[in-house]
Amino acid sequence: MAEGIAERLAAVRQGMAEAARRAGRDPGEVTLVAVSKTKPVEEIQAAIRAGQVDFGENYAQELREKMAEVSDPRVRWHFIGHLQTNKVKHLAGEAALIHSVDSVKLLEELEKRAAGKGLVQEILLEVNLGGEESKSGMTEAGLPEVIEAALLRPHLKLRGLMTMPPYFPEGEPSRPFYRRLRELRDQEQARLLGRAELRELSMGLSHDFQVAIEEGATMVRVGTAIFGAR
Ligand SMILES: *Cc1c(COP(=O)(O)O)cnc(C)c1O
């Protein structure tokens, strides 16, 4: 499966650039996070050879194993999976960005681990906009409280928001969720009066990343369209 990765990456990058241009945005402001969960290291290496540097993983153990095998210093690892307090220990300082923080309890644990390692961990807060119980993420109503809690923690740097909408096979039904995340970000940014810069909007998957970019995504998390079905 390592063959074809460069071509599929190029196609995704082209689709991203087209979506950005449609929305009057600079394609350079959107980062492609290649989601490599369950895929072997050889496929990650093939993507690196094709110029990809941002990779997303969902499982803490798998992330650590892959980090140990892929020693390329250009690579930035993103943790995008469901976070559990007992798994946070190793993540702090390993993932360049943790996209899926969704509670004050997790913030506290991450702060403790980052402080212990003497580093500042960059994070996003995950919002569950579809109200699905099976999905992680805090409610919209809970967001201001968690933002305030994040800003009190000196070893955490809040960079923005992330969401994972309910799944529809077509991309278009995701649009209202992505638009809502952007509105929420703008609303919170205004409320914060410069106390934080919520620059990043991590939203968009293989089947709907163009829609997400049209709605303001700064990071798209694309797996299947690059590495094939899991
Ligand atoms: C697996 C996963 C993705 C990638 O999904 P694809 O449909 O394979 O592009 C993106 N975000 C999260 C949180 C995921 O778990």
Side-chain angles (χ1 to χ4, degrees):
M1 266 308 273
E3 58 281 5
I5 286 178
E7 290 74 10
R8 289 194 294 270
L9 260 173
V12 169
R13 290 196 191 113
Q14 188 181 336
M16 289 173 63
E18 285 165 6
R21 279 194 289 271
R22 273 200 298 281
R25 302 180 61 199
D26 173 3
E29 45 179 79
V30 191
T31 299
L32 171 58
V33 178
V35 177
S36 46
K37 63 182 175 210
T38 78
K39 296 296 179 179
V41 163
E42 298 71 62
E43 298 190 14
I44 296 176
Q45 303 283 19
I48 294 172
R49 285 195 297 277
Q52 181 62 28
V53 292
D54 290 275
F55 291 90
E57 289 283 341
N58 285 56
Y59 310 100
Q61 177 67 23
E62 186 179 343
L63 172 66
R64 296 183 71 207
E65 288 168 10
K66 287 177 172 171
M67 285 185 78
E69 284 186 65
V70 179
S71 51
D72 194 314
R74 291 169 300 181
V75 169
R76 280 191 300 264
W77 297 97
H78 298 248
F79 188 81
I80 64 172
H82 177 57
L83 263 182
Q84 292 160 289
T85 324
N86 60 343
K87 298 281 172 59
V88 160
K89 185 167 23 169
H90 301 294
L91 274 183
E94 298 203 335
L97 181 64
I98 301 177
H99 292 227
S100 44
V101 179
D102 65 358
S103 70
V104 174
K105 199 164 154 240
L106 279 168
L107 286 174
E108 285 168 350
E109 188 63 22
L110 271 173
E111 167 67 20
K112 190 168 90 185
R113 298 299 173 182
K117 294 180 184 173
L119 51 87
V120 173
Q121 175 65 54
E122 301 200 355
I123 61 166
L124 304 180
L125 297 180
E126 180 176 358
V127 188
N128 179 348
L129 295 173
E132 296 169 289
E133 296 214 358
S134 60
K135 292 246 166 78
S136 37
M138 72 196 82
T139 62
E140 259 187 64
L143 180 61
E145 183 200 336
V146 185
I147 289 179
E148 292 303 325
L151 297 184
L152 290 173
R153 307 268 169 341
H155 298 88
L156 301 180
K157 181 108 192 140
L158 178 57
R159 290 287 187 202
L161 306 180
M162 181 270 225
T163 198
M164 182 88 168
Y167 181 81
F168 304 95
E170 303 297 319
E172 203 54 42
S174 300
R175 189 180 298 278
F177 298 97
Y178 294 152
R179 185 168 293 170
R180 183 64 194 143
L181 193 72
R182 187 205 173 123
E183 285 170 2
L184 262 183
R185 189 276 306 273
D186 293 348
Q187 193 179 308
E188 285 303 300
Q189 189 65 68
R191 185 183 67 78
L192 287 167
L193 299 170
R195 287 187 294 137
E197 207 55 63
L198 305 179
R199 211 192 85 80
E200 307 296 346
L201 288 174
S202 168
M203 55 191 200
L205 292 73
S206 288
H207 68 291
D208 63 8
F209 67 85
Q210 290 98 332
V211 169
I213 290 171
E214 287 166 12
E215 296 300 329
T218 63
M219 292 184 166
V220 292
R221 309 179 308 268
V222 177
T224 310
I226 298 169
F227 298 107
R230 287 180 294 271

